[in-house]
Amino acid sequence: MQPIRGRDRLSALRVGLASSWEWDLQRKGVREGLEKPGFEGLRTLQAQRLLSHPPQSLHLVAPVWNGGTRGISGLSRVVAPKGNQKKGRSLLQFLADRFYDVEALRDHLLRKRVSKVHQKNRPFNHINQRYGPYVAGAYFILKQGGAVRFQGREWSRPNQRGHFSLDFLKLQAVPVEAVDASGCAINYQGLDSLLALKELQSLWLQRCPHVDDWCLSRLHPLASSLQELSLAGCPRVSERGLACLHHLWNLRRLDISDLPAVSSPGLTRILVEEMLPSCEVLGADWAQDLKLGPEEQPRDTAGPTPA
Amino acid sequence: MSEIKKKIRSILPGGDWNPLYDTSYLPPESSDVVIVGGGVLGLSVAYWLKKLEKPRGAIRVLVVERDHTYSRASTVLSVGGIRQQFSVPENVQLSIFSIDFLRNINEYLAVADDPPLDIQFNPSGYLLLASEKGAAIMENNVKVQRQEGAKVCLMSPEQLRNKFPWINTEGVALASYGMEHEGWFDPWCLLQGLRRKVQSMGVLFCRGEVTRFVSSSNLMKTASGEEVNLKRIHEVHVKIDQSLEYQPVECAIVINAAGAWSGQVAELAGIGKGPPGTLQGTKLPVELRKRYVYLWHCPQGPGLETPFVIDPSGTYFRREGLGHNYLGGCSPTEEEEPDPGNLEVDHDFFQDRVWPPLAQRVPAFETLKVRSAWAGYYDYNTFDQNGVVGPHPLVINMYFATGFSGHGLQQAPAVGRAVAEMVLEGHFQTINLSSFLFSRFYSGEKVQEHNII
């Protein structure tokens, strides 16, 4: 809670008081209004900031609530572009525009969400030291809600509540053959635990919300063993990440269907099939792109075209 | 009725009504730090200054950029590659931090209510080829890179043919391939992301050109009794675009991030005005060099797995998009340096110098068709083609962040942080760039990079 809150609201009601602007602007790191004396100096500088912005919603000074008239407080809140403002803006965002405390709360909630994902992907070093990389990797996956299959055994999954038996702790020397991390919040850091599983043959990363191109570029240590990879439904994987799957020369089955971030699914599937000749690629139908319209043919000029 | 409403709204606070004259385009009369140049390096320094300052809002930063469309800026005309395969350890460290920055760009440059950035990073890696002569140097370089933590693997011609069957390995003795953290991205997106974030942090922008520095001199004696003339810049004269008007901005620190034009800005500050061979007479050896980039189409060309290939002859190319388009070029030798007066493209250069080595290395490229081309500037450091970072020994409040000769974009986040640390703390804290200081031009210690393209 800021001790100056009350003073802010009261003084903002009074037009033209340099002190209110001082608190307002200082709070957000904008201080040039103090240099030029008086009210007019403030306005020129505010205008300067407005003009120097690109026409996006740059949130420089949060409008201070003043009982309803937006005139005083709508300072640097430039015209809201259509892309950013959804029609049903949530109450939290509405309040965050007007109150510093709500804005701090919103930022705190966002940071907590990000740190929750980081926490889920932390490495279990003590388990790794005690039981070995296979057990540590299996524990990591089971904790995230995925399923693991050790060599020569059945799938181990956590139950509805997320609990799983710790029988696998004695399987220190048994390699993990298959991992089903579908829907898990595994990210770039979390792949550390997976990459230690040197004999992994089958990896399913369907619908993982944080798996992106950077994660795919990390999969090359599994090249000698990985035979099956599924990336269906991952919202952040694009064709740029798929390009680095060519390290996985042992891959026999690749599922790249339903990737929303890929710009041309049919063409991508053809290119991936060319890149991995001995792999069966499940993806979008190549005819799908043809229905959208004929591809632009390159102009047949007799030499380099001028820029 | 709406006219009256508009007028009333402009008169009330928040509107831009000014009864006398509109001075919104002028920079403020004083600013703690003035950054000359609003490219990726200048914005990176501004970002890190604002991020590392204590307390929040302590420093006023002004970025002066004369071309708000960035039509000649090296940043946006760049091919956008990032690699860790350098021979100087500091360069490798800078790239490693920069790639971490790019991976977590949405944590660093998040602005509330704005969509997340997508820099379109292609993690395809760099493939550097070496002939017999360069094989030993390449092995040494890879050792240095691995020590710093880069993931690079060495390949023999046999392995190269297996992995990339479209390469003709004749004349190649060794190849080094970056497996992770290398590739290319969209520099415009990084620039806009930095700009947006930096404006939300309170950095001021001015569309103008720096025409004069007003400085004061201080004659001092060193410990050995030698007389030194230390200068301190007090004012920066910013001339407004397309006008004769200028605004003197009082400043405490000036950061020269003007890219290819840094040499001219340094001359304005009096750097290099003195008898040659002395520290006063040492100029900033950064000049404009024009480089061409060509975009061609080759339907039989290499596929999706194509990395950023650099031939021993200096020719390079990379894949662009999914439609069998490729970007590439070559650095000309000293004798054939084109005139940097304009950004016109020389297509004969492609025919004579770029196409033959390309076609020799990748036989499929014999049947390519050039689709378009453009030219951009390198902020070329004629001394040793590596960056200049840190304060000038005589003009004590001018800091440099320039001279990276073609790899400025990929090192910008790390260099910005280093300069901000130098400004705020007085020494480098995370990456030690003391070998990149200005004084090496006087003492003659070159930091030669063997892998410059």
Side-chain angles (χ1 to χ4, degrees), chain A residues 31-32 43-44 47-48 51-52 54 57 60 71 84 106 188 214 217 220 240 243 246-247 298 300-301 305 307, chain B residues 11 13 16 18 24 26 57 60 103 107 112-115 122-123 163 177 180-181 199 304-305 369-371 373:
Chain A
R31 281 193 340 231
E32 63 276 10
R43 271 196 297 206
T44 59
Q48 170 202 327
L51 286 177
S52 65
S57 64
L60 292 160
N84 277 342
R106 179 188 64 178
Y188 186 86
W214 300 87
S217 74
H220 63 91
R240 301 178 284 275
H246 78 278
H247 294 288
D300 216 11
T301 51
T305 52
Chain B
I11 291 175
D16 51 359
N18 195 319
S24 52
L26 286 178
R60 177 189 303 196
R103 192 178 70 237
E107 284 176 26
D113 289 345
D114 275 350
N122 284 271
K163 201 147 183 123
Y177 185 33
E180 270 183 60
H181 299 160
Q199 279 184 321
L304 204 55
E305 76 274 10
K369 280 212 168 71
V370 176
R371 276 239 176 112

Side-chain angles (χ1 to χ4, degrees), chain B residues 81 96 107 117 389 444:
Chain B
I96 286 179
E107 284 176 26
L117 291 169
V389 174

Side-chain angles (χ1 to χ4, degrees), chain A residues 15-16 21 27-32 35-36 39-40 43-54 56-60 71-75 77 84-85 89 93 97 103 106-107 114 118 188-189 213-214 217-218 220-221 239-244 246-247 249 263-264 267-268 271-272 274-275 296-307, chain B residues 10-30 32 50 56-60 99 102-104 107 111-115 118-124 151 163-164 177-181 192 195-197 199-205 297 303-306 319 322-324 345 347 350-351 369-374:
Chain A
V15 173
W21 301 128
R27 179 65 183 76
K28 288 290 178 158
V30 174
R31 281 193 340 231
E32 63 276 10
E35 305 298 293
K36 289 197 182 159
F39 182 56
E40 183 226 305
R43 271 196 297 206
T44 59
L45 281 144
Q46 292 302 336
Q48 170 202 327
R49 305 206 71 197
L50 285 175
L51 286 177
S52 65
H53 298 166
Q56 316 252 328
S57 64
L58 282 165
H59 212 102
L60 292 160
I72 297 170
S73 47
L75 281 177
R77 195 68 215 230
N84 277 342
Q85 307 296 344
R89 226 159 52 128
Q93 276 182 342
D97 283 344
E103 187 180 0
R106 179 188 64 178
D107 289 339
V114 169
H118 278 301
Y188 186 86
Q189 256 79 38
D213 299 334
W214 300 87
S217 74
R218 274 195 104 181
H220 63 91
E239 67 270 17
R240 301 178 284 275
L242 295 178
C244 42
H246 78 278
H247 294 288
W249 46 270
S263 47
S264 10
L267 178 60
T268 310
L271 291 172
V272 171
E274 276 178 18
M275 186 171 83
E296 201 193 0
Q297 304 294 323
R299 272 185 304 140
D300 216 11
T301 51
T305 52
Chain B
S10 74
I11 291 175
L12 280 177
D16 51 359
W17 176 69
N18 195 319
L20 291 178
Y21 47 83
D22 177 23
T23 53
S24 52
Y25 54 92
L26 286 178
E29 279 174 7
S30 73
D32 296 313
K50 277 311 218 179
R56 244 172 30 157
I59 300 190
R60 177 189 303 196
I99 196 88
L102 290 179
R103 192 178 70 237
N104 298 315
E107 284 176 26
V111 175
D113 289 345
D114 275 350
D118 176 18
I119 51 165
Q120 315 225 326
F121 180 66
N122 284 271
S124 297
K151 301 205 175 41
K163 201 147 183 123
F164 304 115
Y177 185 33
M179 307 285 276
E180 270 183 60
H181 299 160
Q192 290 307 314
R195 203 183 157 96
R196 184 182 79 171
K197 176 68 176 175
Q199 279 184 321
S200 83
M201 286 165 126
V203 167
L204 307 169
F205 276 78
H297 173 75
L304 204 55
E305 76 274 10
T306 319
R319 172 181 63 84
L322 293 177
H324 284 286
V345 178
H347 292 279
F350 183 79
Q351 300 272 31
K369 280 212 168 71
V370 176
R371 276 239 176 112
S372 88
W374 67 86

Side-chain angles (χ1 to χ4, degrees), chain B residues 361-436:
Chain B
R361 189 56 58 207
V362 181
F365 280 161
E366 280 167 14
T367 53
L368 59 82
K369 280 212 168 71
V370 176
R371 276 239 176 112
S372 88
W374 67 86
Y377 290 120
Y378 269 19
D379 47 345
Y380 195 80
N381 182 346
T382 49
F383 187 71
D384 56 11
Q385 289 90 58
N386 262 321
V388 191
V389 174
H392 189 271
L394 294 181
V395 182
I396 50 183
N397 61 350
M398 171 168 267
Y399 290 73
F400 297 105
T402 178
F404 284 91
S405 321
H407 50 275
L409 172 67
Q410 54 188 282
Q411 294 177 338
V415 169
R417 188 178 62 162
V419 174
E421 284 167 1
M422 195 56 159
V423 167
L424 295 172
E425 311 282 337
H427 54 271
F428 296 115
Q429 281 184 320
T430 42
I431 301 178
N432 186 4
L433 296 179
S434 2
S435 48
F436 283 16

Side-chain angles (χ1 to χ4, degrees), chain B residues 127-322:
Chain B
L127 179 70
L128 269 73
L129 306 172
S131 56
E132 288 284 340
K133 283 189 302 173
I137 303 178
M138 179 174 270
E139 272 193 57
N140 273 337
N141 292 349
V142 169
K143 214 184 306 184
V144 168
Q145 290 150 24
R146 281 195 183 140
Q147 252 175 351
E148 299 293 339
K151 301 205 175 41
V152 186
C153 78
L154 283 168
M155 294 167 75
S156 67
E158 180 73 36
Q159 289 169 324
L160 206 56
R161 271 194 295 273
N162 281 339
K163 201 147 183 123
F164 304 115
W166 37 264
I167 282 193
N168 168 20
T169 53
E170 183 190 325
V172 173
L174 193 60
S176 75
Y177 185 33
M179 307 285 276
E180 270 183 60
H181 299 160
E182 291 191 349
W184 57 91
F185 63 98
D186 178 17
W188 185 254
C189 180
L190 175 63
L191 188 71
Q192 290 307 314
L194 273 171
R195 203 183 157 96
R196 184 182 79 171
K197 176 68 176 175
V198 136
Q199 279 184 321
S200 83
M201 286 165 126
V203 167
L204 307 169
F205 276 78
C206 172
R207 196 198 302 183
E209 184 180 343
V210 169
T211 45
R212 189 176 165 212
F213 290 109
V214 172
S215 45
S216 69
S217 304
N218 212 346
L219 211 56
M220 311 192 82
K221 272 205 172 133
T222 61
S224 51
E226 208 183 294
E227 279 204 347
V228 193
N229 192 4
L230 292 178
K231 285 171 96 168
R232 203 189 168 84
I233 298 177
H234 283 281
E235 266 184 12
V236 179
H237 283 203
V238 178
K239 178 179 106 61
I240 303 302
D241 224 16
Q242 286 152 12
S243 151
L244 287 176
E245 198 178 351
Y246 72 91
Q247 164 81 340
V249 179
E250 262 188 273
C251 62
I253 287 176
V254 174
I255 300 196
N256 186 352
W261 297 270
S262 316
Q264 297 165 7
V265 172
E267 269 181 36
L268 282 177
I271 294 174
K273 292 212 176 83
T278 58
L279 190 52
Q280 295 100 295
T282 321
K283 292 197 215 277
L284 179 70
V286 174
E287 25 178 86
L288 283 118
R289 289 284 171 97
K290 189 158 79 160
R291 295 285 180 269
Y292 304 115
V293 177
Y294 303 92
L295 171 74
W296 64 86
H297 173 75
C298 180
Q300 270 78 43
L304 204 55
E305 76 274 10
T306 319
F308 197 121
V309 181
I310 305 182
D311 196 60
S313 62
T315 326
Y316 60 89
F317 73 91
R318 70 155 170 90
R319 172 181 63 84
E320 167 69 27
L322 293 177

